[in-house]
Amino acid sequence: KAGVTQTPRYLIKTRGQQVTLSCSPISGHRSVSWYQQTPGQGLQFLFEYFSETQRNKGNFPGRFSGRQFSNSRSEMNVSTLELGDSALYLCASSQQGSPMTYEQYFGPGTRLTVT
Amino acid sequence: AQSVTQPDIHITVSEGASLELRCNYSYGATPYLFWYVQSPGQGLQLLLKYFSGDTLVQGIKGFEAEFKRSQSSFNLRKPSVHWSDAAQYFCAVGGSRAGNMLTFGGGTRLMVKP
């Protein structure tokens, strides 16, 4: 079974621009979560989608948004980029149903650099 | 609120020596606990998980972890470390009380001396 894929792997953007990151979950997984990883803040939860609905959201500003499509693929968007948005963005997928929902499988991440 | 503490930011062990990485959690009910490993520039790989039952769980790459409810701990162990184990290790907790999300510790960077 193919793992979680994320595109692009690397991205360089300028302050004020917006960016869209993509994630394809493991086949059969319907829950997709996004995390931000930085050296200073560590791994922080952004949001989780299931059946095209956002079920849970972390403590991030409204500039961070996401969506999920009917095939479970997900995108996240960051508008008006700031230098502090430079990070590794990780996508994770899981099966539905407790406790499997918490057994999350991660993609390789997208490294975003904001200049 | 749930939280995870990994007291050791860096640990160095000699190849062939045993390893124990500490993890303490705070959670108001029975938690679901995980250990992940991250190599440089890579995503997170799941090493092992605890949902319920036997408190000693086995994972991949020869790792095991023990859930101790009385100590709110879930320490990761390996009897003999290999140079390829050098990486960053993260402990995480999840559960229905905090939504469908994982809360991660700050991570422990493991270095292996030849």
Side-chain angles (χ1 to χ4, degrees):
Chain A
K1 218 181 232 189
V4 177
T5 58
Q6 292 186 245
T7 57
R9 292 291 311 277
Y10 302 92
L11 209 46
I12 300 175
K13 290 286 188 179
T14 303
R15 267 184 302 176
Q17 289 185 315
Q18 75 164 17
V19 66
T20 299
L21 312 181
S22 181
C23 171
S24 293
I26 292 171
S27 177
H29 286 192
R30 295 169 62 194
S31 171
V32 174
S33 299
W34 289 89
Y35 293 81
Q36 182 196 63
Q37 185 178 24
T38 60
Q41 300 298 316
L43 280 152
Q44 294 184 287
F45 172 77
L46 281 157
F47 28 65
E48 186 239 355
Y49 285 87
F50 174 78
S51 289
E52 303 177 63
T53 301
Q54 187 182 87
R55 285 201 298 196
N56 200 10
K57 189 177 191 304
N59 189 26
F60 278 82
R63 299 185 296 107
F64 291 82
S65 63
R67 59 177 176 168
Q68 186 180 36
F69 302 94
S70 59
N71 61 358
S72 294
R73 190 176 71 84
S74 177
E75 289 181 348
M76 69 163 281
N77 183 275
V78 187
S79 63
T80 318
L81 283 165
E82 300 177 0
L83 294 179
D85 298 332
S86 294
L88 181 66
Y89 290 88
L90 293 163
C91 169
S93 74
S94 64
Q95 297 182 50
Q96 171 58 6
S98 185
M100 293 78 70
T101 298
Y102 306 99
E103 184 175 342
Q104 299 183 2
Y105 291 87
F106 286 80
T110 294
R111 171 74 62 187
L112 171 65
T113 302
V114 182
T115 62
Chain B
Q2 59 192 34
S3 65
V4 178
T5 300
Q6 294 180 246
D8 304 305
I9 297 174
H10 294 99
I11 280 186
T12 301
V13 299
S14 297
E15 192 168 16
S18 64
L19 170 71
E20 182 169 30
L21 302 183
R22 296 184 290 164
C23 171
N24 292 99
Y25 67 90
S26 173
Y27 188 73
T30 300
Y32 303 133
L33 294 160
F34 306 86
W35 275 98
Y36 286 87
V37 61
Q38 184 178 37
S39 298
Q42 302 298 315
L44 302 174
Q45 182 183 22
L46 179 64
L47 283 176
L48 48 75
K49 61 184 182 282
Y50 172 79
F51 287 160
S52 64
D54 193 347
T55 57
L56 184 64
V57 294
Q58 304 296 321
I60 62 172
K61 304 186 179 188
F63 286 94
E64 66 177 26
E66 186 170 14
F67 170 58
K68 292 186 177 180
R69 184 189 301 275
S70 61
Q71 297 176 21
S72 297
S73 69
F74 188 56
N75 294 347
L76 181 71
R77 301 194 293 249
K78 187 169 184 179
S80 177
V81 168
H82 188 262
W83 64 266
S84 61
D85 293 324
Q88 190 154 26
Y89 292 79
F90 293 93
C91 180
V93 64
S96 58
R97 287 197 174 194
N100 299 329
M101 57 176 273
L102 294 177
T103 297
F104 286 85
T108 296
R109 182 164 299 283
L110 172 66
M111 290 169 281
V112 180
K113 290 190 300 185

